[in-house]
Amino acid sequence: MKAIILAGGQSQRFGTPKAFAEIEGETFYKRIIDVLKATNIFNEIIISTNDTLASKFDHDHVIVDQARHKNKGPLAGIYSVMAEYPEETSFFVVSVDTPMITQKAISHLYQFMIEHLIDDQLNIAGFKEGDRTYPTIAFYNRNVLEQIETVLQSDDLSIKHLYQLVNTEWLDVNTIEAPKYWYKNINSQEDLDTLKAQIVNN
């Protein structure tokens, strides 16, 4: 199984590429790589990014979105990596702006995915908080590739559009015993400052 770190966003609100922001002395992307390796679930970790940032990562496996899907958001990144690895059946997807993701959370979601895979003919297993889903902390089966292509060719590029076409199951974030910030997206410098304060006070 392979893991995909989505790191191709424009980071307009943050001001600089979020992948290279630091928390506790480590860049977001390297911190996530370390956590993914620690799970012992994945045989390869791939960074999905744009052609501007690709050379800046200190990592062996970096894939740029296919030209025909350039600037089409996270689904373009997922699609482009899946297309590169036709032999792989499942992928874990995490956004680079979720730097506090934990090994425990990934492992719990993996077990949740396995439990629902056959009986529910599951395509996507991710986390939710109330009615809000977190599509960039989720396992994706490669059998959604055709549906992703459909979405990428439409006027609605949202992941919610994809949900309408496939089977999904969601694990509540509160089932993970960890500080609440483990699943939070860092979208601005203020978010990062808040996170740093929460870590100190935890």
Side-chain angles (χ1 to χ4, degrees), residues 30-44:
K30 286 191 174 181
R31 184 185 184 92
I32 294 173
I33 288 173
D34 289 344
V35 172
L36 292 169
K37 286 180 177 178
T39 66
N40 291 316
I41 294 174
F42 311 107
N43 57 27
E44 195 167 346

Side-chain angles (χ1 to χ4, degrees), residues 93-143:
V93 173
V94 59
S95 173
V96 79
D97 64 5
T98 315
M100 303 309 292
I101 184 76
T102 68
Q103 179 181 341
K104 181 188 294 184
I106 297 169
S107 298
H108 274 63
L109 185 61
Y110 176 73
Q111 292 299 325
F112 177 81
M113 184 264 293
I114 295 298
E115 290 167 5
H116 290 80
L117 188 60
I118 297 176
D119 290 345
D120 297 332
Q121 297 181 322
L122 189 60
N123 301 122
I124 299 172
F127 280 104
K128 70 174 181 178
E129 182 182 26
D131 293 331
R132 179 182 178 182
T133 57
Y134 288 83
T136 52
I137 313 176
F139 285 92
Y140 287 69
N141 192 294
R142 78 164 297 105
N143 59 20

Side-chain angles (χ1 to χ4, degrees), residues 2-183:
K2 295 181 173 24
I4 306 170
I5 301 175
L6 296 175
Q10 299 299 316
S11 302
Q12 292 178 345
R13 287 174 58 190
F14 195 76
T16 60
K18 286 183 278 188
F20 309 107
E22 293 189 359
I23 187 73
E24 297 187 316
E26 192 172 25
T27 59
F28 284 13
Y29 87 91
K30 286 191 174 181
R31 184 185 184 92
I32 294 173
I33 288 173
D34 289 344
V35 172
L36 292 169
K37 286 180 177 178
T39 66
N40 291 316
I41 294 174
F42 311 107
N43 57 27
E44 195 167 346
I45 299 167
I46 302 112
I47 294 175
S48 165
T49 190
N50 56 56
D51 49 9
T52 302
L53 297 178
S55 63
K56 301 182 184 301
F57 290 94
D58 180 19
H59 190 66
D60 292 335
H61 306 286
V62 179
I63 291 179
V64 173
D65 291 352
Q66 293 182 358
R68 65 197 179 103
H69 295 313
K70 186 177 180 180
N71 298 324
K72 289 188 177 182
L75 283 179
I78 297 170
Y79 181 91
S80 298
V81 174
M82 283 186 173
E84 285 286 326
Y85 297 94
E87 78 290 347
E88 192 63 69
T89 58
S90 297
F91 299 80
F92 177 68
V93 173
V94 59
S95 173
V96 79
D97 64 5
T98 315
M100 303 309 292
I101 184 76
T102 68
Q103 179 181 341
K104 181 188 294 184
I106 297 169
S107 298
H108 274 63
L109 185 61
Y110 176 73
Q111 292 299 325
F112 177 81
M113 184 264 293
I114 295 298
E115 290 167 5
H116 290 80
L117 188 60
I118 297 176
D119 290 345
D120 297 332
Q121 297 181 322
L122 189 60
N123 301 122
I124 299 172
F127 280 104
K128 70 174 181 178
E129 182 182 26
D131 293 331
R132 179 182 178 182
T133 57
Y134 288 83
T136 52
I137 313 176
F139 285 92
Y140 287 69
N141 192 294
R142 78 164 297 105
N143 59 20
V144 302
L145 195 64
E146 183 178 338
Q147 288 87 350
I148 293 178
E149 175 79 31
T150 297
V151 173
L152 290 173
Q153 291 178 350
S154 75
D155 294 327
D156 179 2
L157 301 175
S158 70
I159 299 184
K160 286 186 177 181
H161 184 185
L162 177 64
Y163 295 167
Q164 298 168 8
L165 307 176
V166 300
N167 295 324
T168 63
E169 291 286 347
W170 305 96
L171 180 63
D172 195 304
V173 295
N174 294 309
T175 62
I176 306 302
E177 295 181 5
K180 295 294 185 182
Y181 52 68
W182 74 262
Y183 58 91

